[in-house]
Amino acid sequence: MSRMVGTVSRGVRAPIIRDGDDIVEIVTSSVLEASADAKFDIQDRDIVAMTEAIVARAQGNYASVNDIATDIKAKFGGETVGVILPILSRNRFAICLRGIAMGAKKVVLMLSYPSDEVGNHLISLDALDEKGVDPFRDVLDLKRYRELFGYEKHRFTGVDYVEYYESLITGCGAECEIIFANDPRAVLPYTKNVLTCDIHTRARSKRLLKAAGAEIVYGLDDILTESVNGSGYNEHYGLLGSNKATEDTVKLFPRDCQPVVDAIQKKIYDATGKHVEVMVYGDGAFKDPIGKIWELADPVVSPAYTSGLEGTPNELKLKYLADNDFADLSGDALKEAIKEKIVQKDGNLVGNMASEGTTPRRLTDLIGSLCDLTSGSGDKGTPIVYIQGYFDNYTTE
């Protein structure tokens, strides 16, 4: 009988990781113990993935609000800072905002609307239409925003982020002025010193600001790119990808991840003789249809992965073949014709109609999203994910 199981994604439990733990040994031993416990064999081209959080925890990659404040003050001089386009998140941005406010005399907070970059809505599109507001052109101050939209709360968290962020800033002793706009340059009449907090559009925002006459421009990826008073840091992403650790500290995105994935790959090979692929993953990239949140608040899905995970899928759409090329076939004849087509497929199917709809995304983005959904973000206790059969197709027995 032909093999009936395709891709399998398993959450693997691990001990609670602490600063200084040997992440390579922990991940390897956890996978080997899971294999023995669940009675699955480790095979070539299986995938081992671990959350960025446990790598950063093992590295002790943390920073305090005081560390953030020190770096902000050094870069902006302790005066007025325009803080623009942040996401709406208690976990991702609130602690960072406290540090920013502690390093400035005044914060001009510019919030994008109707939603932030990752889909958290301040207000609905319907509300914009009803009030006749054009988010691409209209710049609103706080008074006008409240007159138009009142005190809206986030659908999932129940938080009025406008009020919440304002209270964080003033609670740190800084003056706060809030505006609402989507063009980064809208902050320049208020201040020429700008910290742009967007994630995936940050390079464009910096370029537009500098061209429009901004005097000091940094992004979150420029803050804590090196250690401040012994703090953690990330030379590539700074504060991007950070998460709340305590009320006064953030866990930063992990650094130097490539040696980690390479070492785990080697250690599993030495133990089993099998060549697995290994990656570190953060947020997946997928959109919630109700809340409209598309999740990816990290600067990348995967900061490091072994070479076998490079590239994009090269797949044929089986239903297209069944409905078009082989519409006159059925049963075993149809099965064999499709298998033969897969065996003969080109190395690059770009532009081929038979590959239409196969999601031409990077393998690491697809696999990272699968891992994020498998491990969850709560109390499952499975920060390691083991995937089998991802590279199989209809011909694999």
Side-chain angles (χ1 to χ4, degrees):
M1 183 178 180
S2 297
R3 175 175 153 189
M4 297 300 293
V5 176
T7 301
V8 176
S9 179
R10 293 180 174 91
V12 175
R13 289 181 176 173
I16 304 300
I17 308 298
R18 297 294 191 188
D19 181 2
D21 286 348
D22 185 340
I23 193 66
V24 173
E25 173 59 33
I26 288 173
V27 171
T28 302
S29 61
S30 296
V31 167
L32 295 177
E33 289 174 23
S35 171
D37 178 61
K39 296 179 173 56
F40 63 85
D41 294 329
I42 293 174
Q43 303 289 346
D44 288 327
R45 298 216 79 190
D46 288 353
I47 302 168
V48 177
M50 73 216 81
T51 66
E52 55 82 20
I54 63 172
V55 181
R57 287 174 65 85
Q59 293 174 342
N61 205 21
Y62 294 85
S64 70
V65 290
N66 289 324
D67 298 327
I68 296 171
T70 298
D71 205 12
I72 289 292
K73 192 168 185 178
K75 287 182 166 67
F76 289 97
E79 297 298 322
T80 299
V81 180
V83 177
I84 70 169
L85 306 176
I87 63 172
L88 308 174
S89 174
R90 294 168 297 176
N91 175 44
R92 289 286 190 171
F93 188 68
I95 305 299
C96 296
L97 181 58
R98 285 184 56 213
I100 294 164
M102 288 167 60
K105 184 179 293 185
K106 176 179 178 179
V107 171
V108 178
L109 179 65
M110 190 182 94
L111 299 175
S112 55
Y113 75 101
S115 70
D116 69 9
E117 182 182 3
V118 298
N120 292 295
H121 276 69
L122 285 172
I123 49 179
S124 68
L125 287 169
D126 291 337
L128 289 183
D129 294 341
E130 179 186 340
K131 301 298 182 179
V133 175
D134 183 350
F136 299 103
R137 296 178 181 272
D138 295 336
V139 178
L140 309 175
D141 61 17
L142 181 57
K143 181 174 182 295
R144 182 58 176 155
Y145 173 86
R146 292 299 193 195
E147 289 172 351
L148 289 167
F149 304 114
Y151 290 78
E152 291 285 334
K153 293 185 177 180
H154 190 279
R155 177 170 188 163
F156 290 161
T157 65
V159 174
D160 178 342
Y161 279 96
V162 178
E163 184 176 69
Y164 177 51
Y165 280 2
E166 182 180 32
S167 68
L168 288 178
I169 294 168
T170 57
C172 291
E175 184 183 347
C176 180
E177 183 171 4
I178 300 178
I179 62 173
F180 302 82
N182 292 297
D183 186 332
R185 295 166 292 192
V187 76
L188 294 179
Y190 300 84
T191 178
K192 303 295 185 185
N193 301 333
V194 185
L195 177 69
T196 183
C197 301
D198 45 343
I199 305 162
H200 307 292
T201 55
R202 62 188 185 275
R204 177 177 183 267
S205 294
K206 292 177 188 179
R207 173 173 55 81
L208 291 176
L209 287 163
K210 291 174 182 177
E215 295 174 0
I216 301 175
V217 178
Y218 290 103
L220 281 183
D221 57 326
D222 301 310
I223 308 302
L224 289 183
T225 55
E226 56 187 27
S227 181
V228 173
N229 299 323
S231 73
Y233 64 95
N234 189 298
E235 66 272 33
H236 299 298
Y237 300 119
L239 280 177
L240 289 181
S242 62
N243 292 86
K244 177 180 178 180
T246 70
E247 293 302 321
D248 295 304
T249 59
V250 291
K251 176 198 64 60
L252 301 173
F253 212 50
R255 59 182 189 268
D256 302 325
C257 294
Q258 194 61 46
V260 173
V261 297
D262 291 339
I264 292 171
Q265 183 182 60
K266 182 180 185 303
K267 200 170 183 67
I268 291 178
Y269 181 83
D270 290 343
T272 66
K274 301 297 182 180
H275 187 88
V276 301
E277 303 297 341
V278 185
M279 66 181 286
V280 177
Y281 68 93
D283 273 350
F286 44 82
K287 185 170 182 175
D288 175 75
I290 304 300
K292 313 302 182 187
I293 301 165
W294 67 277
E295 186 67 12
L296 184 56
D298 286 325
V300 291
V301 173
S302 176
Y305 47 88
T306 50
S307 59
L309 298 178
E310 189 65 60
T312 59
N314 192 54
E315 301 173 344
L316 295 169
K317 198 77 167 181
L318 297 191
K319 64 184 180 182
Y320 180 90
L321 294 175
D323 291 344
N324 291 273
D325 295 38
F326 307 122
D328 57 333
L329 299 180
S330 61
D332 288 342
L334 174 59
K335 181 178 179 180
E336 292 306 313
I338 288 178
K339 283 188 172 182
E340 183 64 22
K341 193 77 170 180
I342 293 172
V343 169
Q344 295 177 356
K345 69 183 177 182
D346 294 334
N348 186 349
L349 293 170
V350 174
N352 188 321
M353 284 298 292
S355 69
E356 184 179 23
T358 55
T359 315
R361 294 165 58 189
R362 293 187 303 178
L363 287 168
T364 49
D365 294 340
L366 291 165
I367 297 166
S369 297
L370 172 61
C371 291
D372 193 21
L373 289 168
T374 300
S375 61
S377 57
D379 58 6
K380 294 184 185 299
T382 55
I384 303 164
V385 177
Y386 195 84
I387 301 171
Q388 294 187 296
Y390 191 84
F391 296 104
D392 292 353
N393 61 40
Y394 195 52
T395 69
T396 306
E397 298 294 345

